[in-house]
């Protein structure tokens, strides 16, 4: 029977640590400020933006909200980002993704000053991670590392398999496991015999984007299984979303040494790590 890795508890611990650090900064005259830009009113994005604002409030970070209409042009968005890049009172800039189709997402990400790139998506941040330099790390993979370490599992010397190679999860996840001295394999849709590869893992991180795809057949006895996936698979009678991950939780539960649930595993960590990036921005901007 697996240990359940509780992302709510661990993310709350992190937020409380950050709250104390933010207070220290405030006492020394430094206020941290995050600018959050949302273009259009995609309901899921509005929920994420709302959660980010609430986390800022809890921790004591000032947040500036820019809610722009769907028809905002790329040029207008770039102008706003450039203004925020130049403001010394703004530490972090976050553009909620996805942006509407008429706006080039890559161009927007590249416009953000890498010293304020708290999402860690700028090529500069990605490059810094891959060559072991200081910089912002993409929040979800950074949260996975915290979940593993704070649950008492060592990564050094372990066989780590990441299923998925996206720019926001799989690739940075692999770099972070490597930074922690894991022996890392990245699997993807062209991997031959995924089951055999996944079964090598002492630490299996699943970011495949397919509901409940990873069953016990993919898991080594005693592995630590981290499920990054999140899918809405229905609603309850009272209208609440029913969620599941990329891992078949019930099937894997008996075999794994530890597992993250969905919801309540990786999900809450993403915002906690965004808050950490905001706090870390003070040091990063001293470079
Ligand atoms: P993507 O769809 O961008 O990437 C999925 C990856 O899985 C790709 O690399 C793809 O391979 C690989 N893949 C797809 N099918 C298979 C298969 N049958 N066998 C092996 N590999 C396969 O997804 P993301 O990385 O953006 O997200 C992954 C999951 O994590 C999603 O469920 C998403 O909702 C969730 N997520 C959760 C977050 C959180 O905060 N909890 C944050 C971000 C994402 P290839 O490259 O070859 O196509």
């Amino acid at each position: 029977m697996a240990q359940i890795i509780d992302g709510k508890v661990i993310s709350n611990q992190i937020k409380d640590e950050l709250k104390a650090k933010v207070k220290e900064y405030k006492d020394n005259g430094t206020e941290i400020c995050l600018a959050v830009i949302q273009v259009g009113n995609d309901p899921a994005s509005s929920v994420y933006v709302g959660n980010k604002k609430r986390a800022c409030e809890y921790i004591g970070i000032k947040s500036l909200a820019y809610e722009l209409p769907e028809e905002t042009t790329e040029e207008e968005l770039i102008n706003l980002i450039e203004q925020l890049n130049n403001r010394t009172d703004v530490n972090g800039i976050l553009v909620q993704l996805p942006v509407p189709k008429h706006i080039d997402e890559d161009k927007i990400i590249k416009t953000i000053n890498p010293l304020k790139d708290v999402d860690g998506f700028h090529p500069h941040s990605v490059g810094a991670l891959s060559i072991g330099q200081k910089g912002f790390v993409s929040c979800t993979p950074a949260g996975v590392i915290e979940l593993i370490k704070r649950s008492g599992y060592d990564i050094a010397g372990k066989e780590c398999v990441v299923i998925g190679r996206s720019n926001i999860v799989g690739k940075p996840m692999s770099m972070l496991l490597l930074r922690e001295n894991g022996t890392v394999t990245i699997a993807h849709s062209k991997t031959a015999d995924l089951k055999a590869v996944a079964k090598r893992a002492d630490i299996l991180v699943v970011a495949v984007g397919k509901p409940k795809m990873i069953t016990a057949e993919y898991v080594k006895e005693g592995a630590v299984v981290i499920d990054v996936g999140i899918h809405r698979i229905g609603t309850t009678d009272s209208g609440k979303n029913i969620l599941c991950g990329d891992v078949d939780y019930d099937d894997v539960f008996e075999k794994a040494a530890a597992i993250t649930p969905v919801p309540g595993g990786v999900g809450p960590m993403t915002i906690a790590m965004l808050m950490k990036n905001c706090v870390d921005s003070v040091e990063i901007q001293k470079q």
Side-chain angles (χ1 to χ4, degrees), residues 10 16 23 31 44 68 82 87 90 92 104 106 110 135 157 179 211-212 219 234 237-238 251 265 277:
I10 296 175
D16 285 337
K23 185 176 178 310
E31 183 170 47
L68 309 181
E82 279 169 350
R87 274 177 62 169
V90 172
D104 180 346
D106 281 345
K110 281 189 202 144
R179 191 164 87 176
K212 296 190 185 183
V219 176
D237 291 342
S238 57
D251 198 42
N277 277 349

Side-chain angles (χ1 to χ4, degrees), residues 48 139-141 163-171 186-191 194 206-211 213-214 218 227-231 244-246 262 265-271:
Y48 294 137
C139 303
T140 301
I163 310 183
R165 57 172 165 182
S166 70
N167 289 339
I168 60 164
V169 187
K171 282 183 197 144
I186 310 173
H188 45 77
S189 67
K190 307 291 185 290
T191 297
L194 181 65
V206 185
V208 74
K210 301 263 171 357
M213 178 179 142
I214 301 305
Y218 291 78
D227 188 355
V228 181
I230 183 153
H231 308 275
C244 80
D246 290 345
V262 177
V266 174
M269 295 301 290
T270 300
I271 289 193

Side-chain angles (χ1 to χ4, degrees), residues 87-273:
R87 274 177 62 169
T88 50
D89 63 324
V90 172
N91 302 85
I93 302 170
L94 182 152
V95 179
Q96 184 63 45
L97 301 177
V99 285
K101 287 197 172 45
H102 63 274
I103 297 176
D104 180 346
E105 192 168 289
D106 281 345
K107 206 164 163 189
I108 296 306
I109 291 172
K110 281 189 202 144
T111 306
I112 297 171
N113 179 343
L115 295 176
K116 299 188 178 188
D117 172 40
V118 284
D119 252 342
F121 294 159
H122 192 288
H124 184 105
S125 306
V126 178
L129 172 63
S130 66
I131 57 171
Q133 288 184 356
K134 231 184 186 182
F136 295 108
V137 176
S138 170
C139 303
T140 301
V144 170
I145 297 290
E146 289 294 326
L147 284 178
I148 298 170
K149 288 184 36 179
R150 287 176 186 245
S151 303
Y153 295 97
D154 276 339
I155 299 171
K158 296 284 161 33
E159 285 285 344
C160 304
V161 176
V162 179
I163 310 183
R165 57 172 165 182
S166 70
N167 289 339
I168 60 164
V169 187
K171 282 183 197 144
M173 188 71 251
S174 314
M175 295 311 303
L176 283 175
L177 289 164
L178 187 61
R179 191 164 87 176
E180 297 293 333
N181 297 314
T183 301
V184 184
T185 304
I186 310 173
H188 45 77
S189 67
K190 307 291 185 290
T191 297
D193 202 351
L194 181 65
K195 276 185 192 161
V197 172
K199 265 193 140 162
R200 293 208 301 257
D202 302 310
I203 297 173
L204 180 64
V205 181
V206 185
V208 74
K210 301 263 171 357
K212 296 190 185 183
M213 178 179 142
I214 301 305
T215 58
E217 286 186 309
Y218 291 78
V219 176
K220 179 164 97 177
E221 190 84 44
V224 174
V225 179
I226 308 290
D227 188 355
V228 181
I230 183 153
H231 308 275
R232 283 176 188 81
I233 52 169
T235 46
T236 61
D237 291 342
S238 57
K240 254 185 111 183
N241 286 321
I242 303 172
L243 304 176
C244 80
D246 290 345
V247 174
D248 185 336
Y249 182 87
D250 294 332
D251 198 42
V252 170
F253 189 76
E254 294 297 328
K255 208 168 183 189
I259 188 166
T260 55
V262 177
V266 174
M269 295 301 290
T270 300
I271 289 193
M273 299 318 287

Side-chain angles (χ1 to χ4, degrees), residues 6-25:
D6 190 332
K8 277 191 208 148
V9 168
I10 296 175
S11 64
N12 284 336
Q13 275 168 7
I14 293 172
K15 283 194 258 181
D16 285 337
E17 290 163 16
L18 293 171
K19 192 174 179 168
K21 203 159 178 192
V22 167
K23 185 176 178 310
E24 248 175 62
Y25 274 130

